[in-house]
Amino acid sequence: MDLLQEIQRRRTFGIISHPDAGKTTLTEKLLLFGGAIQEAGAVKSNKIKKGATSDFMEIERQRGISVATSVLAFVYKDKKINILDTPGHKDFAEDTFRTLTAVDSVIVVIDVAKGVEEQTEKLVEVCRMRNIPMIVFINKLDREGKDAFDLLDEVEQKLGLKVIPLSFPIGMGYDFKGIYNIWDKKINLFSAGSKTVVSDGIEFDDVNDPELDKMIGTEAAELLREELELVEEVYPGFDKEAYLKGELQPVFFGSALNNFGVKELLDCFIDIAPEPLPKMSDTRLVDSKEKKFTGFVFKIHANMDPKHRDRLAFVKIVSGIFRRNTNYLHVKLGKKMKFSSPNAFFAEKKEIVDESFPGDIVGLHDTGNFKIGDTLTEGEILEFKGIPSFSPEHFRYVNNADPMKSKQLAKGLDQLMDEGVAQLFTLDLNGRKVIGTVGALQFEVIQYRLEHEYGAKCSYENVNVHKACWVEAEDENSEEFKEFKRVKQRYLAKDKKDQLVFLADSAFTVQMTQQKYPTVKLHFVSEFN
């Protein structure tokens, strides 16, 4: 296998958006083009018996939301495409931020009626900080929504992007006639009949062709010609270099549910999206074309298959070829490991693979050796950087509701915390356990999964904590640090990595503590290390 050819064939991207903008539906439709599924199921509809392929946890099916990032792969026009479908719900943003460390580009989905929403703003900001190339897909054109030019302005202003439309809608909502594909110069006429199969476009080399008037009516045709002229005047031409640097964002319009405009998006995407990119480590920049294998864990998922208590560590391959049954170095533990059954994904379907290449995501069966951010190499000592852990915003004491099952509870909590669902703090004073999460919905997910996957029941109790701050002392033997520990003893805890954490009850407390003990630093982010 030629490594370079394999790298050039790969496209690994994430789909991000606000909840309900139609992200999971878009993922389904992309799989449909890859021939990976025969018919697509939307998240919402209870009439279609088929649930969405990427939502495979029971709680997602009940709620109609995606809570865990799933990994899907398919081949389209000889390109191997890896999609990471992320949760849009803000309570699970942490999972999404971590996933963004594993993608080479991003598709941002925006709802035509609601426009840009705050969750999208946060996620796009992370992409902008990392200069990740982005394509914007404006979805749900078959509904009444904002004017196309207004939407483009809003995307530019609120998200700070510089956009260029590569397709343009003809009408909207009730008058929605179709889409003119600027990139390929052809027209796709909309018929709201076949939602689950793929329809073909009609090619128009020239918008001034009188045939166009016959197809969509003179009024719509005239309007389209005016709008396209305006697009040419207002927006810069498409520049691939600028897109790859994250300085220019192409925009497509469509309706994922009606499978409309999705093929145009995909065709352009495989043309322009970046192949696997180099990644920075603590010692040097690792190029994807290097011969030696390196990769990092960006996600851990316990119980992919509830019948077997298995944990999977998701590894993004950065360079070289990952081979089955080969010894690799787990840098942090400093020990060699080999994997007899690495998995490639198709939502919940997994298959064992012998070789994987840069850009691919492999699932490794894990008995507890992996934590998020761990690096695997062929022997070189390096760690990939930049997988954040956020200070939780919601805290609860966790109590065992079934004394006979305390072992199951401990094991369940342990594994779910490794997954990065939440963080566990153990109070120094009495050993009570406090769970901290980024979103309140996660408490329900934890409770649900403990019961259904580990057979353990827990109850929660309120605890007055405003922020968890990681403590760093300039001098651990100083009088000041000893006094800090003595005075704040009731509020001190250890996290899973045995780091000292101060559970402050208000913003005021944090401020006062910092003034009173200047040599004791309080951090709100613990970089996974």
Side-chain angles (χ1 to χ4, degrees):
M1 283 274 185
D2 181 9
L3 180 64
L4 278 180
Q5 270 176 336
E6 288 298 330
I7 291 176
Q8 282 156 1
R9 278 185 63 215
R10 278 168 173 68
R11 303 283 182 272
T12 304
F13 70 97
I15 300 187
I16 60 174
S17 82
H18 200 81
D20 275 354
K23 192 170 42 188
T24 304
T25 313
L26 177 63
T27 309
E28 286 280 306
K29 292 302 155 61
L30 291 171
L31 291 178
L32 188 63
F33 285 104
I37 47 177
Q38 261 41 67
E39 60 172 300
V43 182
K44 282 275 181 326
S45 160
N46 299 326
K47 294 189 281 295
I48 309 180
K49 284 289 172 275
K50 230 182 126 310
T53 313
S54 58
D55 287 350
F56 58 86
M57 273 167 68
E58 192 51 41
I59 192 162
E60 306 189 32
R61 293 213 168 111
Q62 288 178 4
R63 287 279 187 110
I65 56 170
S66 305
V67 296
T69 306
S70 47
V71 180
L72 306 139
F74 63 93
V75 175
Y76 178 73
K77 293 193 175 173
D78 198 43
K79 295 276 190 277
K80 164 109 191 283
I81 296 177
N82 298 308
I83 306 183
L84 280 78
D85 178 25
T86 62
H89 200 290
K90 72 170 185 301
D91 286 3
F92 304 99
E94 212 176 331
D95 197 28
T96 305
F97 286 127
R98 287 201 285 259
T99 302
L100 288 175
T101 59
V103 301
D104 299 308
S105 65
V106 161
I107 291 181
V108 184
V109 185
I110 288 175
D111 179 324
V112 70
K114 297 183 187 143
V116 175
E117 298 174 85
E118 68 161 339
Q119 190 54 27
T120 322
E121 291 182 39
K122 273 191 185 158
L123 293 167
V124 166
E125 200 178 313
V126 175
C127 298
R128 281 220 332 265
M129 274 164 28
R130 301 212 164 108
N131 298 328
I132 301 175
M134 284 179 264
I135 291 181
V136 178
F137 182 69
I138 294 182
N139 193 15
K140 304 193 183 180
L141 279 199
D142 51 321
R143 303 195 182 169
E144 296 297 325
K146 303 184 177 183
D147 171 73
F149 286 108
D150 290 348
L151 272 168
L152 291 167
D153 286 348
E154 190 176 323
V155 169
E156 291 213 313
Q157 284 158 11
K158 281 198 177 170
L159 299 178
L161 302 180
K162 190 173 166 194
V163 301
I164 161 128
L166 293 186
S167 76
F168 210 80
I170 307 169
M172 187 174 291
Y174 289 119
D175 309 328
F176 183 51
K177 303 267 193 311
I179 283 175
Y180 179 71
N181 183 348
I182 301 173
W183 177 251
D184 275 339
K185 294 201 170 33
K186 63 163 105 162
I187 278 188
N188 275 33
L189 292 180
F190 178 65
S191 61
S194 54
K195 294 187 177 182
T196 52
V197 289
V198 181
S199 57
D200 294 323
I202 303 158
E203 300 208 12
F204 266 90
D205 292 331
D206 181 12
V207 251
N208 295 318
D209 190 333
E211 274 297 300
L212 183 61
D213 299 64
K214 288 184 196 162
M215 306 216 59
I216 61 174
T218 312
E219 208 177 309
E222 278 305 311
L223 181 65
L224 176 67
R225 289 173 190 132
E226 279 171 31
E227 292 187 321
L228 289 174
E229 228 171 89
L230 195 57
V231 166
E232 263 178 45
E233 283 168 25
V234 176
Y235 295 100
F238 176 67
D239 171 359
K240 187 170 168 182
E241 278 305 295
Y243 155 72
L244 289 174
K245 285 187 189 144
E247 292 163 5
L248 184 68
Q249 287 77 25
V251 179
F252 284 87
F253 289 85
S255 157
L257 185 64
N258 292 304
N259 207 353
F260 201 78
V262 178
K263 183 173 186 301
E264 290 69 21
L265 172 73
L266 187 57
D267 285 345
C268 173
F269 174 82
I270 61 172
D271 256 5
I272 65 173
E275 50 194 57
L277 300 169
K279 189 163 174 64
M280 197 64 205
S281 73
D282 54 358
T283 53
R284 63 188 188 84
L285 186 69
V286 178
D287 193 330
S288 55
K289 299 178 181 66
E290 291 178 21
K291 292 276 188 288
K292 294 208 160 168
F293 161 77
T294 60
F296 66 95
V297 177
F298 67 92
K299 173 181 167 60
I300 289 174
H301 195 7
N303 307 321
M304 289 283 285
D305 177 354
K307 293 198 231 7
H308 307 278
R309 291 253 170 267
D310 62 344
R311 275 170 47 130
L312 273 184
F314 289 70
V315 174
K316 158 85 188 270
I317 297 171
V318 178
S319 67
I321 303 175
F322 177 86
R323 294 188 171 89
R324 187 179 155 188
N325 284 326
T326 304
N327 272 320
Y328 292 117
L329 174 69
H330 183 311
V331 176
K332 198 162 84 226
L333 296 181
K335 68 177 189 183
K336 291 271 175 101
M337 304 170 83
K338 65 177 174 185
F339 307 94
S340 58
S341 53
N343 290 127
F345 298 96
F346 175 77
E348 73 217 88
K349 298 189 191 65
K350 310 191 292 257
E351 50 193 58
I352 290 178
V353 284
D354 290 320
E355 289 190 324
S356 298
F357 297 89
D360 285 342
I361 309 288
V362 207
L364 303 179
H365 289 280
D366 174 32
T367 49
N369 291 313
F370 287 113
K371 302 266 187 293
I372 287 171
D374 284 352
T375 303
L376 282 172
T377 69
E378 277 190 35
E380 187 178 349
I381 308 288
L382 60 84
E383 294 258 354
F384 288 108
K385 282 250 156 301
I387 297 195
S389 154
F390 298 91
S391 171
E393 311 199 346
H394 303 265
F395 298 87
R396 305 261 197 289
Y397 279 125
V398 57
N399 298 323
N400 184 1
D402 180 353
M404 305 296 285
K405 296 277 174 72
S406 54
K407 256 167 84 176
Q408 286 88 328
L409 181 70
K411 181 177 174 190
L413 281 175
D414 199 46
Q415 295 201 352
L416 292 177
M417 299 305 138
D418 277 351
E419 225 178 273
V421 177
Q423 295 180 48
L424 189 66
F425 303 106
T426 308
L427 288 175
D428 282 358
L429 199 63
N430 52 16
R432 284 195 75 178
K433 305 249 184 280
V434 174
I435 288 183
T437 67
V438 175
L441 199 62
Q442 276 156 318
F443 289 113
E444 273 183 63
V445 173
I446 293 168
Q447 212 164 16
Y448 182 92
R449 291 185 61 189
L450 281 172
E451 187 171 343
H452 291 82
E453 294 172 15
Y454 298 93
K457 286 195 165 100
C458 75
S459 63
Y460 296 123
E461 197 182 314
N462 281 333
V463 50
N464 181 20
V465 176
H466 161 70
K467 265 278 188 232
C469 319
W470 281 269
V471 178
E472 183 194 4
E474 280 177 22
D475 173 10
E476 302 215 338
N477 300 318
S478 69
E479 286 309 311
E480 188 175 307
F481 186 52
K482 285 178 186 158
E483 189 198 342
F484 164 79
K485 286 204 300 198
R486 193 181 70 246
V487 174
K488 299 293 182 192
Q489 165 183 16
R490 289 178 44 208
Y491 307 103
L492 294 181
K494 296 275 197 311
D495 69 2
K496 267 202 73 163
K497 295 192 295 246
D498 224 31
Q499 301 181 112
L500 188 63
V501 179
F502 170 48
L503 302 175
D505 57 6
S506 69
F508 179 68
T509 308
V510 175
Q511 207 182 334
M512 293 309 293
T513 308
Q514 282 176 319
Q515 282 173 11
K516 196 170 167 196
Y517 307 104
T519 65
V520 179
K521 290 196 180 65
L522 301 178
H523 300 283
F524 295 127
V525 175
S526 126
E527 181 83 38
F528 274 95
N529 47 13

Short mmCIF file of all heavy atoms in Angstrom, two decimals, residues 115-143:
data_model
loop_
_atom_site.label_atom_id
_atom_site.label_comp_id
_atom_site.label_asym_id
_atom_site.label_seq_id
_atom_site.Cartn_x
_atom_site.Cartn_y
_atom_site.Cartn_z
N GLY A 115 -31.21 30.89 11.89
CA GLY A 115 -29.94 31.58 11.65
C GLY A 115 -28.87 31.10 12.62
O GLY A 115 -28.92 29.99 13.12
N VAL A 116 -27.92 31.98 12.92
CA VAL A 116 -26.78 31.60 13.76
C VAL A 116 -27.20 31.60 15.24
O VAL A 116 -27.70 32.60 15.73
CB VAL A 116 -25.62 32.58 13.56
CG1 VAL A 116 -24.48 32.28 14.51
CG2 VAL A 116 -25.15 32.52 12.11
N GLU A 117 -26.98 30.49 15.94
CA GLU A 117 -27.34 30.42 17.36
C GLU A 117 -26.09 30.33 18.22
O GLU A 117 -25.01 30.02 17.73
CB GLU A 117 -28.27 29.22 17.58
CG GLU A 117 -29.56 29.37 16.79
CD GLU A 117 -30.45 28.13 16.87
OE1 GLU A 117 -31.22 28.02 17.83
OE2 GLU A 117 -30.34 27.27 15.97
N GLU A 118 -26.26 30.58 19.54
CA GLU A 118 -25.06 30.78 20.38
C GLU A 118 -24.15 29.55 20.42
O GLU A 118 -22.93 29.67 20.44
CB GLU A 118 -25.46 31.18 21.81
CG GLU A 118 -26.12 30.04 22.51
CD GLU A 118 -26.17 30.13 24.03
OE1 GLU A 118 -25.38 30.86 24.64
OE2 GLU A 118 -27.00 29.42 24.58
N GLN A 119 -24.74 28.36 20.42
CA GLN A 119 -23.90 27.17 20.51
C GLN A 119 -22.97 27.08 19.29
O GLN A 119 -21.82 26.70 19.40
CB GLN A 119 -24.79 25.93 20.60
CG GLN A 119 -24.07 24.65 20.93
CD GLN A 119 -23.23 24.74 22.17
OE1 GLN A 119 -23.48 25.52 23.07
NE2 GLN A 119 -22.17 23.98 22.21
N THR A 120 -23.52 27.48 18.13
CA THR A 120 -22.71 27.47 16.91
C THR A 120 -21.57 28.47 17.04
O THR A 120 -20.44 28.20 16.64
CB THR A 120 -23.60 27.87 15.70
OG1 THR A 120 -24.89 27.29 15.86
CG2 THR A 120 -23.01 27.39 14.40
N GLU A 121 -21.87 29.63 17.66
CA GLU A 121 -20.83 30.66 17.81
C GLU A 121 -19.63 30.12 18.61
O GLU A 121 -18.48 30.32 18.24
CB GLU A 121 -21.40 31.90 18.52
CG GLU A 121 -22.40 32.67 17.68
CD GLU A 121 -22.92 33.92 18.38
OE1 GLU A 121 -22.14 34.61 19.05
OE2 GLU A 121 -24.14 34.20 18.26
N LYS A 122 -19.95 29.41 19.71
CA LYS A 122 -18.87 28.89 20.56
C LYS A 122 -18.00 27.90 19.80
O LYS A 122 -16.78 27.94 19.87
CB LYS A 122 -19.47 28.14 21.76
CG LYS A 122 -19.78 29.01 22.94
CD LYS A 122 -20.10 28.11 24.12
CE LYS A 122 -20.53 28.90 25.33
NZ LYS A 122 -21.30 28.05 26.26
N LEU A 123 -18.66 26.98 19.09
CA LEU A 123 -17.91 25.93 18.41
C LEU A 123 -17.07 26.50 17.27
O LEU A 123 -15.94 26.10 17.06
CB LEU A 123 -18.88 24.86 17.88
CG LEU A 123 -19.58 24.07 18.99
CD1 LEU A 123 -20.74 23.28 18.43
CD2 LEU A 123 -18.61 23.15 19.70
N VAL A 124 -17.66 27.46 16.55
CA VAL A 124 -16.93 28.06 15.43
C VAL A 124 -15.71 28.82 15.95
O VAL A 124 -14.65 28.83 15.33
CB VAL A 124 -17.86 28.97 14.59
CG1 VAL A 124 -17.06 29.86 13.66
CG2 VAL A 124 -18.85 28.12 13.80
N GLU A 125 -15.87 29.42 17.13
CA GLU A 125 -14.74 30.14 17.71
C GLU A 125 -13.55 29.20 17.94
O GLU A 125 -12.40 29.54 17.66
CB GLU A 125 -15.18 30.74 19.05
CG GLU A 125 -14.31 31.86 19.52
CD GLU A 125 -14.84 32.45 20.83
OE1 GLU A 125 -16.06 32.70 20.93
OE2 GLU A 125 -14.02 32.61 21.74
N VAL A 126 -13.85 27.99 18.42
CA VAL A 126 -12.78 26.99 18.63
C VAL A 126 -12.12 26.65 17.29
O VAL A 126 -10.90 26.56 17.19
CB VAL A 126 -13.35 25.71 19.28
CG1 VAL A 126 -12.28 24.64 19.39
CG2 VAL A 126 -13.89 26.03 20.66
N CYS A 127 -12.94 26.49 16.25
CA CYS A 127 -12.39 26.18 14.92
C CYS A 127 -11.53 27.33 14.41
O CYS A 127 -10.49 27.12 13.79
CB CYS A 127 -13.50 25.92 13.91
SG CYS A 127 -14.53 24.52 14.32
N ARG A 128 -11.99 28.56 14.70
CA ARG A 128 -11.22 29.71 14.22
C ARG A 128 -9.88 29.80 14.92
O ARG A 128 -8.86 30.11 14.33
CB ARG A 128 -12.02 31.00 14.45
CG ARG A 128 -13.10 31.22 13.40
CD ARG A 128 -13.23 32.68 12.97
NE ARG A 128 -12.86 33.65 13.97
CZ ARG A 128 -13.71 34.24 14.81
NH1 ARG A 128 -14.99 33.95 14.76
NH2 ARG A 128 -13.28 35.11 15.67
N MET A 129 -9.88 29.52 16.24
CA MET A 129 -8.62 29.56 17.00
C MET A 129 -7.61 28.58 16.40
O MET A 129 -6.42 28.82 16.38
CB MET A 129 -8.87 29.18 18.47
CG MET A 129 -9.29 30.35 19.32
SD MET A 129 -10.02 29.85 20.92
CE MET A 129 -9.29 28.28 21.31
N ARG A 130 -8.12 27.45 15.92
CA ARG A 130 -7.21 26.43 15.38
C ARG A 130 -7.07 26.52 13.87
O ARG A 130 -6.48 25.64 13.25
CB ARG A 130 -7.76 25.04 15.71
CG ARG A 130 -7.93 24.80 17.19
CD ARG A 130 -7.70 23.34 17.51
NE ARG A 130 -7.48 23.19 18.94
CZ ARG A 130 -8.35 22.64 19.76
NH1 ARG A 130 -9.47 22.16 19.29
NH2 ARG A 130 -8.09 22.56 21.04
N ASN A 131 -7.70 27.54 13.26
CA ASN A 131 -7.68 27.69 11.79
C ASN A 131 -8.16 26.45 11.04
O ASN A 131 -7.58 26.08 10.02
CB ASN A 131 -6.28 28.07 11.29
CG ASN A 131 -5.85 29.41 11.84
OD1 ASN A 131 -6.68 30.28 12.07
ND2 ASN A 131 -4.57 29.56 12.10
N ILE A 132 -9.17 25.80 11.57
CA ILE A 132 -9.68 24.61 10.88
C ILE A 132 -10.51 25.07 9.67
O ILE A 132 -11.37 25.93 9.82
CB ILE A 132 -10.58 23.77 11.83
CG1 ILE A 132 -9.79 23.33 13.07
CG2 ILE A 132 -11.16 22.56 11.13
CD1 ILE A 132 -10.62 22.60 14.11
N PRO A 133 -10.27 24.51 8.48
CA PRO A 133 -11.08 24.90 7.31
C PRO A 133 -12.55 24.53 7.53
O PRO A 133 -12.85 23.46 8.04
CB PRO A 133 -10.50 24.04 6.17
CG PRO A 133 -9.16 23.59 6.65
CD PRO A 133 -9.22 23.54 8.13
N MET A 134 -13.45 25.45 7.18
CA MET A 134 -14.88 25.22 7.42
C MET A 134 -15.70 25.42 6.14
O MET A 134 -15.40 26.31 5.36
CB MET A 134 -15.41 26.24 8.44
CG MET A 134 -15.03 25.95 9.85
SD MET A 134 -15.68 27.24 10.96
CE MET A 134 -14.27 28.30 11.12
N ILE A 135 -16.72 24.58 5.99
CA ILE A 135 -17.72 24.79 4.93
C ILE A 135 -19.04 24.98 5.66
O ILE A 135 -19.33 24.27 6.63
CB ILE A 135 -17.81 23.57 4.00
CG1 ILE A 135 -16.53 23.44 3.16
CG2 ILE A 135 -19.02 23.69 3.06
CD1 ILE A 135 -16.53 22.27 2.18
N VAL A 136 -19.86 25.94 5.23
CA VAL A 136 -21.13 26.19 5.90
C VAL A 136 -22.26 25.59 5.06
O VAL A 136 -22.30 25.77 3.84
CB VAL A 136 -21.36 27.71 6.07
CG1 VAL A 136 -22.71 27.99 6.73
CG2 VAL A 136 -20.23 28.32 6.91
N PHE A 137 -23.16 24.85 5.72
CA PHE A 137 -24.33 24.30 5.01
C PHE A 137 -25.58 24.90 5.63
O PHE A 137 -25.85 24.72 6.82
CB PHE A 137 -24.35 22.77 5.14
CG PHE A 137 -25.50 22.11 4.40
CD1 PHE A 137 -25.54 22.10 3.02
CD2 PHE A 137 -26.54 21.50 5.10
CE1 PHE A 137 -26.59 21.49 2.34
CE2 PHE A 137 -27.59 20.89 4.43
CZ PHE A 137 -27.62 20.88 3.04
N ILE A 138 -26.33 25.68 4.83
CA ILE A 138 -27.55 26.29 5.36
C ILE A 138 -28.71 25.36 5.04
O ILE A 138 -28.99 25.07 3.87
CB ILE A 138 -27.74 27.70 4.78
CG1 ILE A 138 -26.59 28.58 5.33
CG2 ILE A 138 -29.09 28.27 5.19
CD1 ILE A 138 -26.61 30.03 4.93
N ASN A 139 -29.33 24.84 6.08
CA ASN A 139 -30.25 23.70 5.98
C ASN A 139 -31.73 24.12 6.09
O ASN A 139 -32.04 25.21 6.54
CB ASN A 139 -29.88 22.73 7.11
CG ASN A 139 -30.53 21.38 6.94
OD1 ASN A 139 -31.05 21.04 5.88
ND2 ASN A 139 -30.52 20.60 8.00
N LYS A 140 -32.60 23.22 5.72
CA LYS A 140 -34.07 23.34 5.87
C LYS A 140 -34.67 24.41 4.96
O LYS A 140 -35.55 25.18 5.37
CB LYS A 140 -34.46 23.64 7.33
CG LYS A 140 -33.92 22.62 8.32
CD LYS A 140 -34.56 22.76 9.68
CE LYS A 140 -33.95 21.76 10.67
NZ LYS A 140 -34.50 21.83 12.00
N LEU A 141 -34.19 24.47 3.72
CA LEU A 141 -34.69 25.49 2.78
C LEU A 141 -36.14 25.26 2.37
O LEU A 141 -36.75 26.12 1.77
CB LEU A 141 -33.84 25.50 1.52
CG LEU A 141 -32.54 26.28 1.63
CD1 LEU A 141 -32.04 26.62 0.25
CD2 LEU A 141 -32.72 27.57 2.41
N ASP A 142 -36.66 24.05 2.64
CA ASP A 142 -38.05 23.79 2.28
C ASP A 142 -38.99 24.43 3.29
O ASP A 142 -40.20 24.31 3.20
CB ASP A 142 -38.30 22.29 2.19
CG ASP A 142 -37.81 21.58 3.44
OD1 ASP A 142 -36.74 21.96 3.95
OD2 ASP A 142 -38.50 20.66 3.92
N ARG A 143 -38.43 25.08 4.33
CA ARG A 143 -39.28 25.81 5.29
C ARG A 143 -39.10 27.30 5.07
O ARG A 143 -38.10 27.74 4.52
CB ARG A 143 -38.83 25.49 6.72
CG ARG A 143 -38.88 24.01 6.98
CD ARG A 143 -38.78 23.79 8.45
NE ARG A 143 -38.78 22.38 8.76
CZ ARG A 143 -38.49 21.91 9.96
NH1 ARG A 143 -38.19 22.74 10.93
NH2 ARG A 143 -38.53 20.62 10.18
#
